[in-house]
Amino acid sequence: MPTEEFDVVVVGGGPGGSTVATLTALRGHRVLLLEKETFPRYQIGESLLPATVHGICRLLGAEEEMEKAGFTRKRGGSFRWGTNPVPWNFLFALAPELSGPTSYAYQVERMKFDEILLRNAQAKGVEVREGVQVGEVVEDGGRVTGVRYTDDDGAVHDIAARYIVDASGNKTRISGHVGGERIYSEHFQNLALFGYFENAGRMPEPDSGNILCAAFDEGWMWYIPLSPTLTSVGAVISRERVREIQGDQAAREKALHGFIDRTAIVKDLLGEKATRVTEGVYGELRVRKDYSYANTRFWKPGMALVGDAACFIDPVFSTGVHLATYAGLLAARSINSVLAGDLEEAAAFGEFEGRYRREYKVFYEFLSAFYDMQGNEDSYFWKAKSVTAFDTSAMESFVTLVGGVASGETALTDSEKLVARFRASAEALEAAADATGDMTTETGSRMRHLFGVPVVGDVMQEMNEIQRRGVLGTATKENPLLPDGLVPSADGLGWARTA
């Protein structure tokens, strides 16, 4: 077949892929999205953050469809964590000045959410081809120039493009073309076992839609209310316990209920009436390897990685969809700026990678401090996760993970200072959690303590900027996030230099 030509080819139709495809199409570019499955399809990662709902989805023009879908509203997260036995709430993603109409996110069935974003991409001019498998990336003189894919009839197609975006997930077959390698965290190498329950209980209002994360001696559990009757329940455990969750569905059933029995708050919420779904798309007990990792390179001329193709972090903060859609936004801004002739490629994609790594880094640091809050040192799981047990080798791995092999951030290379910062952040978080009181108090009064923790401010900073732009539009003015960096263009779809 003759070679087809597009400006941008996106591989993968999940949230990250749909985001970059839509935002480049909105600038008038010819965009092709290639997806190996046929939507709707099952996916995990069901708890969103407000920046995605009120920032990214508004930029995509998908907010009305999101509202119509009737997803469960999520005010934040509820945690049974650390040394305090009383559950407490954490609304870390919200900008205080935007609280009110945008002070919520959604718990979503990913089959529905992902299809909303994919069909929105089509409506915005993206050509979508499902049921196809990308098998080869084409390069010329060190630059990626296209892809070759096979359709469901076995026909091979050649596509030439000025940019290829790999948004095909953690099992990507093409990310290696950007060079570098995938570096795994030495400390967050976990496994997740999860399923779905009908007629499970809910936490008291106004927190009934929150995700609940509850620690137990060997890991932690999530409890996500997807609808008035459907609940996603999963256990995240150390990889050393893989034998407990291997085998058939009966073995997994026994393991999951064992973890539930050791997590009192989850067991109480499931109660006597909840029954596990055993048929249909939600009927399988699934296992996922939730290893935290990052590639040492996120782009090369003609190609960029977004979402799980680039990096992944432990899911306790519901960061998966946020990092994917955020990366899609950054990649779209860079592609749009280069194709318009506004910026050199190195400057545009330097901003893409710098912001992307920074967002990953602040969540990793937050995660490390959060895990270090747990005071049960007799537990094997928590001993393995203690960041204060970092050694020099582990610090080098951490620097590589969050900064890339060429990282020049001196603050990350001093292991003693880094451990001290994690310990201080963990102590501040624990004090703030203690000050929030129990789950019977009013949500708003609990948050002033947590907003004062420095690591929380770091996590909120960029998410709040995205949320502001979605809510306020072009009226918002942003400062450079990186030293001598770029700022978003007036329409939010490209980069601009500061005056």
Side-chain angles (χ1 to χ4, degrees):
M1 294 184 180
T3 300
E4 297 180 85
E5 295 186 1
F6 288 84
D7 295 314
V8 182
V9 172
V10 179
V11 182
S18 292
T19 296
V20 67
T22 302
L23 297 181
T24 49
L26 287 175
R27 276 287 188 95
H29 302 304
R30 294 190 64 223
V31 183
L32 173 66
L33 188 151
L34 304 173
E35 167 57 44
K36 68 178 180 179
E37 298 187 49
T38 300
F39 278 41
R41 55 89 176 97
Y42 175 82
Q43 184 59 275
I44 192 63
E46 298 144 332
S47 196
L48 305 187
L49 299 180
T52 300
V53 174
H54 305 293
I56 300 295
C57 287
R58 290 196 184 198
L59 285 172
L60 297 175
E63 69 275 15
E64 289 187 11
E65 290 300 314
M66 290 285 290
E67 186 71 24
K68 291 178 183 177
F71 295 128
T72 297
R73 289 200 175 195
K74 165 191 171 183
R75 292 175 176 267
S78 297
F79 293 87
R80 211 321 292 153
W81 203 273
T83 56
N84 187 345
V86 178
W88 49 278
N89 282 14
F90 193 15
L91 307 179
F92 65 90
L94 304 182
E97 63 270 31
L98 292 176
S99 61
T102 61
S103 61
Y104 66 91
Y106 291 119
Q107 314 285 17
V108 299
E109 294 180 65
R110 286 287 301 276
M111 292 179 64
K112 298 177 181 178
F113 172 69
D114 289 13
E115 185 165 34
I116 287 173
L117 296 193
L118 186 67
R119 302 310 168 207
N120 177 70
Q122 285 181 304
K124 299 299 190 295
V126 177
E127 183 170 339
V128 174
R129 300 177 188 175
E130 299 170 73
V132 303
Q133 181 68 59
V134 175
E136 186 176 343
V137 171
V138 180
E139 297 190 44
D140 183 11
R143 183 179 188 86
V144 172
T145 59
V147 296
R148 180 169 291 120
Y149 77 86
T150 304
D151 64 26
D152 55 3
D153 293 323
V156 177
H157 302 254
D158 288 324
I159 308 292
R162 298 176 69 179
Y163 280 100
I164 305 298
V165 178
D166 180 11
S168 58
N170 67 326
K171 295 182 180 179
T172 170
R173 301 171 63 182
I174 62 173
S175 64
H177 285 274
V178 302
E181 60 180 322
R182 180 178 288 185
I183 304 295
Y184 288 90
S185 165
E186 295 185 12
H187 304 281
F188 304 112
Q189 297 187 8
N190 302 327
L191 299 168
L193 169 65
F194 52 95
Y196 297 83
F197 289 77
E198 284 282 358
N199 301 315
R202 294 288 180 261
M203 290 181 291
E205 294 291 355
D207 305 317
S208 62
N210 283 10
I211 180 174
L212 169 67
C213 298
F216 64 103
D217 56 350
E218 294 150 343
W220 62 273
M221 297 202 70
W222 76 68
Y223 190 94
I224 304 175
L226 296 176
S227 77
T229 62
L230 183 66
T231 306
S232 172
V233 180
V236 178
I237 59 172
S238 172
R239 62 176 177 171
E240 282 77 11
R241 308 192 70 86
V242 64
R243 292 182 181 179
E244 293 186 34
I245 61 177
Q246 287 179 328
D248 58 16
Q249 288 289 297
R252 293 180 178 180
E253 184 96 44
K254 180 180 179 181
L256 181 60
H257 280 283
F259 298 136
I260 290 170
D261 287 342
R262 296 201 285 280
T263 314
I265 189 170
V266 173
K267 183 178 181 180
D268 289 345
L269 283 168
L270 289 173
E272 300 294 330
K273 295 182 179 180
T275 57
R276 191 178 70 79
V277 179
T278 57
E279 297 180 351
V281 70
Y282 294 129
E284 178 185 353
L285 286 175
R286 293 176 167 90
V287 174
R288 171 168 173 167
K289 185 172 72 173
D290 274 342
Y291 285 21
S292 297
Y293 61 82
N295 281 36
T296 56
R297 294 185 64 176
F298 285 175
W299 76 281
K300 71 175 292 183
M303 185 173 181
L305 309 180
V306 305
D308 289 358
C311 56
F312 177 81
I313 198 166
D314 184 286
V316 70
F317 296 132
S318 309
T319 51
V321 173
H322 165 67
L323 284 173
T325 55
Y326 177 62
L329 170 64
L330 298 178
R333 287 173 173 171
S334 298
I335 291 170
N336 288 336
S337 296
V338 175
L339 294 183
D342 296 334
L343 290 170
E344 296 290 332
E345 187 175 53
F349 281 91
E351 189 73 21
F352 158 77
E353 179 152 356
R355 284 182 179 243
Y356 197 3
R357 286 199 183 279
R358 180 195 175 281
E359 194 74 353
Y360 185 92
K361 177 176 72 70
V362 297
F363 272 108
Y364 196 107
E365 291 188 22
F366 190 18
L367 178 72
S368 299
F370 194 74
Y371 267 93
D372 205 39
M373 289 173 63
Q374 174 59 271
N376 181 11
E377 296 184 359
D378 293 330
S379 163
Y380 172 79
F381 179 84
W382 295 104
K383 277 186 177 180
K385 295 295 172 283
S386 176
V387 294
T388 56
F390 274 142
D391 57 23
T392 302
S393 174
M395 278 298 141
E396 293 173 354
S397 176
F398 173 79
V399 172
T400 301
L401 181 72
V402 300
V405 291
S407 173
E409 297 186 54
T410 56
L412 292 178
T413 58
D414 188 325
S415 60
E416 291 185 2
K417 289 183 179 179
L418 187 55
V419 168
R421 186 163 71 244
F422 287 160
R423 185 183 290 115
S425 295
E427 291 173 353
L429 280 171
E430 191 159 3
D434 287 343
T436 61
D438 64 31
M439 291 171 58
T440 62
T441 59
E442 183 59 33
T443 299
S445 65
R446 287 177 290 203
M447 292 312 302
R448 63 181 183 274
H449 307 286
L450 293 162
F451 280 126
V453 179
V455 70
V456 178
D458 289 342
V459 166
M460 291 168 56
Q461 180 180 355
E462 185 66 350
M463 288 196 295
N464 289 344
E465 290 292 353
I466 296 171
Q467 193 170 333
R468 286 190 190 97
R469 178 167 288 277
V471 174
L472 303 177
T474 57
T476 185
K477 181 180 179 181
E478 297 181 35
N479 296 316
L481 184 66
L482 307 175
D484 300 318
L486 306 172
V487 296
S489 59
D491 64 0
L493 302 183
W495 297 118
R497 297 189 184 278
T498 55

